[in-house]
Amino acid sequence: MATYVVVGLQYGDEGKGKITDVLSAKSDYVVRFQGGDNAGHTVYAGEEKFVLHLLPSGVLQCPGKCIIANGVVVNPKAFMHEISQIEEKGMRTDHVFISRRAHVIMPYHILLDTYREEEEGGTQIGTTKKGIGPCYEDKIARVGIRMVDLLNPEVLAEKIRKNLKIKNSLFEKYFEKPGIEFEEIYKEFLEIGQKLKHRIVDTEVELNQAIHDGKNILFEGAQALMLDIDFGTYPYVTSSSPSTGGVCTGAGVPPTSLQNLIGVAKVYTTRVGNGPFPTELNDELGEKMRKVGQEFGATTGRPRRTGWLDLVSLKHATMINGINNLVITKLDVLSGISSLKIATKYKTEDGKIIDYFTSSTTKLYNYEPIYEELEGWDEDISHARTYDELPNNAKKYIEFIEDYLGINVYLVSVGPERSQNIIRKELF
Ligand code: GDP
Ligand code: IMO
Ligand code: MG
């Protein structure tokens, strides 16, 4: 039995897609277990660039199956669009399947997400406006539409009718916007069901059987722990559990089956959307990180906020996830910065020094990071493929992270391309 979980440890965009793509070459299954097309996972295969939103990043290389499991919220139109994009590039997609239990993002979810974000005086989260939050709300409220419902005309009609009654009253009376007509969406989603029916399957039994048979199974997280609905900077979070714990409920596999828990972190920090960010740099250096690191949202194109590495939040993330293997990415981006800061503690507004992450999001805005300073390096390290090829100061930077977190870095990424990795221990 060999199971692998890849999760993000910061605010998303750590390079999970790249790592999943690399590991998927030896996987029998690659499984998405939460989130939806709010994700943007970039994979470079030679000259070719792919940005995957809903499809597992294993779709390009995995010799087995790619599964969108029950915990994912699926926009079927976005799914079909992504499938055709991959097929246009001559790649296969016949190995991609969606759980019958996965919830469907409906047009009213996207509108609700958008109206809320555009509401004057509202709490703007800075969402991707993909309808993620409203879809998960309906799931928990037990009024959601599942993939399996698209295959049953009567059930689908009844569910759409019931939902439109409430949603339209909200759109018309509260937001003063037009409602949605039943006919507008019923037929369309029924047809979508027919187009996708060969891909809509039960996934949990097959996955558990695969675990039993000792197959290699890779679970790919979207978003990251600091955007976790419970353990992130609530309410500036996404609406799912992007933690290793989310794998169990999101794919229907038991905790005892999870073995290699791989946490991915950038060597600095980025965040898209609103919310506190203690180590944020609003200066030239932050701008340089954005430029060199190409820090623009893969889903929305928004410039990502940038800042120093924050080990206080990273420790929180590795603790909640139980990470036993670290991947650090974008080490190449730090080349040429003479002095590197790493936050190891916070100073609270009343002067207390703490080394743990707080549940009080409002207070976090006033926390000051306390930094350790390390010497940088000038060399271009993007061609390094062994640990020994790295400059001493780069090694010291990595070892500082390892010592603080008490976890070994097993892979160092030094560029966006598949081959730009320093692998210190073979996990597969
Ligand atoms: P994900 O959401 O975690 O999959 O990450 P994104 O794809 O949204 O953002 C990561 C970006 O960094 C992508 O453009 C990757 O191609 C790129 N990337 C990944 N690893 C490295 C690396 O080690 N160095 C550099 N320079 N870029 C990287
Ligand atoms: P990947 O998988 C970075 C952020 C949004 C917003 C918040 C809530 O590429 O790392 P949502 O649309 O989910 O309701 O938005 O979460 N967000 C991400 N930030 N990477 C992502 O995914 C994200 N998915 C959502 O910007 O702040
Ligand atoms: Mg991303």
Side-chain angles (χ1 to χ4, degrees):
M1 179 173 79
T3 55
Y4 304 83
V5 183
V6 171
V7 288
L9 299 177
Q10 293 157 319
Y11 298 92
D13 306 325
E14 296 87 355
K16 300 174 293 291
K18 174 194 157 166
I19 300 304
T20 301
D21 168 66
V22 169
L23 300 181
S24 72
K26 291 188 189 163
S27 301
D28 298 301
Y29 287 86
V30 180
V31 185
R32 275 281 304 271
F33 59 92
Q34 47 70 234
D37 63 325
N38 49 347
H41 297 170
T42 316
V43 175
Y44 280 91
E47 295 294 292
E48 202 75 85
K49 177 184 176 180
F50 297 86
V51 182
L52 302 158
H53 300 285
L54 195 49
L55 301 187
S57 305
V59 68
L60 308 176
Q61 297 216 85
C62 171
K65 289 189 183 178
C66 290
I67 305 271
I68 296 174
N70 57 283
V72 177
V73 286
V74 179
N75 176 339
K77 290 195 250 180
F79 175 83
M80 291 192 297
H81 179 66
E82 225 173 303
I83 287 277
S84 59
Q85 277 187 324
I86 300 280
E87 287 178 351
E88 270 166 28
K89 292 194 177 175
M91 325 276 301
R92 68 184 275 242
T93 64
D94 61 329
H95 56 328
V96 182
F97 298 93
I98 309 174
S99 165
R100 287 156 62 91
R101 296 177 188 270
H103 279 248
V104 181
I105 297 181
M106 299 296 288
Y108 47 78
H109 292 137
I110 298 170
L111 285 182
L112 187 51
D113 197 359
T114 308
Y115 294 158
R116 280 182 185 155
E117 283 293 311
E118 289 170 358
E119 189 187 2
E120 254 177 65
T123 306
Q124 265 101 29
I125 308 291
T127 73
T128 57
K129 300 184 184 168
K130 299 288 181 189
I132 306 296
C135 185
Y136 277 118
E137 285 168 34
D138 280 1
K139 173 176 177 174
I140 300 302
R142 295 165 294 186
V143 297
I145 294 175
R146 302 192 297 171
M147 290 304 292
V148 63
D149 299 330
L150 301 183
L151 307 178
N152 186 326
E154 289 79 34
V155 171
L156 183 64
E158 194 194 330
K159 286 195 169 187
I160 290 183
R161 274 210 178 88
K162 274 193 180 157
N163 272 289
L164 283 184
K165 226 168 140 181
I166 298 174
K167 265 81 181 181
N168 278 343
S169 123
L170 192 62
F171 291 153
E172 287 159 7
K173 297 201 177 113
Y174 183 76
F175 289 106
E176 298 176 342
K177 302 274 187 192
I180 296 176
E181 297 288 333
F182 172 82
E183 291 303 335
E184 249 179 75
I185 56 173
Y186 174 63
K187 220 172 132 241
E188 185 185 18
F189 277 79
L190 209 52
E191 278 169 16
I192 288 174
Q194 289 310 303
K195 281 190 194 140
L196 293 182
K197 69 178 176 200
H198 61 293
R199 297 188 191 265
I200 305 174
V201 298
D202 276 326
T203 54
E204 61 277 6
V205 174
E206 185 170 345
L207 284 174
N208 277 284
Q209 187 63 46
I211 291 170
H212 182 261
D213 294 344
K215 305 269 191 212
N216 278 339
I217 306 174
L218 176 59
F219 297 95
E220 176 190 16
Q223 292 82 51
L225 201 275
M226 301 313 293
L227 294 172
D228 182 279
I229 187 75
D230 284 281
F231 299 106
T233 53
Y234 190 89
Y236 300 100
V237 291
T238 191
S239 298
S240 67
S241 302
S243 62
T244 53
V247 176
C248 299
T249 52
V253 299
T256 44
S257 68
L258 304 184
Q259 296 171 309
N260 300 287
L261 308 180
I262 304 168
V264 187
K266 268 182 219 188
V267 286
Y268 50 95
T269 312
T270 63
R271 176 165 203 165
V272 228
N274 302 331
F277 180 175
T279 61
E280 183 166 15
L281 287 168
N282 284 309
D283 58 10
E284 257 174 50
L285 191 53
E287 190 54 49
K288 184 176 170 186
M289 283 180 182
R290 181 158 40 247
K291 205 163 154 218
V292 180
Q294 297 267 306
E295 297 296 355
F296 296 89
T299 298
T300 57
R302 291 176 291 180
R304 294 173 181 152
R305 300 155 66 191
T306 50
W308 294 118
L309 184 66
D310 180 352
L311 286 180
V312 183
S313 69
L314 215 48
K315 188 141 198 170
H316 172 72
T318 54
M319 173 187 79
I320 300 289
N321 280 307
I323 296 303
N324 49 24
N325 290 283
L326 264 185
V327 168
I328 60 167
T329 60
K330 302 198 123 171
L331 190 66
D332 53 303
V333 176
L334 294 186
S335 289
I337 302 176
S338 56
S339 174
L340 301 168
K341 290 187 182 176
I342 302 184
T344 55
K345 293 186 175 82
Y346 293 155
K347 189 175 175 186
T348 67
E349 52 198 347
D350 37 9
K352 222 169 107 191
I353 308 293
I354 57 168
D355 63 358
Y356 55 86
F357 203 78
T358 176
S359 52
S360 172
T361 302
T362 38
K363 282 191 178 158
L364 195 55
Y365 281 107
N366 301 318
Y367 282 12
E368 245 179 70
I370 297 181
Y371 291 111
E372 296 266 346
E373 239 170 301
L374 274 71
E375 262 178 61
W377 60 92
D378 281 328
E379 295 88 331
D380 171 6
I381 56 167
S382 60
H383 300 287
R385 295 292 175 271
T386 64
Y387 194 65
D388 283 342
E389 286 171 69
L390 290 178
N392 266 337
N393 286 347
K395 286 187 200 159
K396 281 188 193 157
Y397 191 87
I398 295 169
E399 285 154 25
F400 190 91
I401 299 171
E402 289 184 314
D403 287 347
Y404 187 99
L405 299 174
I407 308 168
N408 288 332
V409 170
Y410 105 86
L411 188 151
V412 182
S413 172
V414 291
E417 228 282 324
R418 266 179 188 158
S419 59
Q420 290 182 291
N421 304 310
I422 296 170
I423 297 175
R424 295 169 81 195
K425 175 180 92 173
E426 284 296 342
L427 271 193
F428 272 70

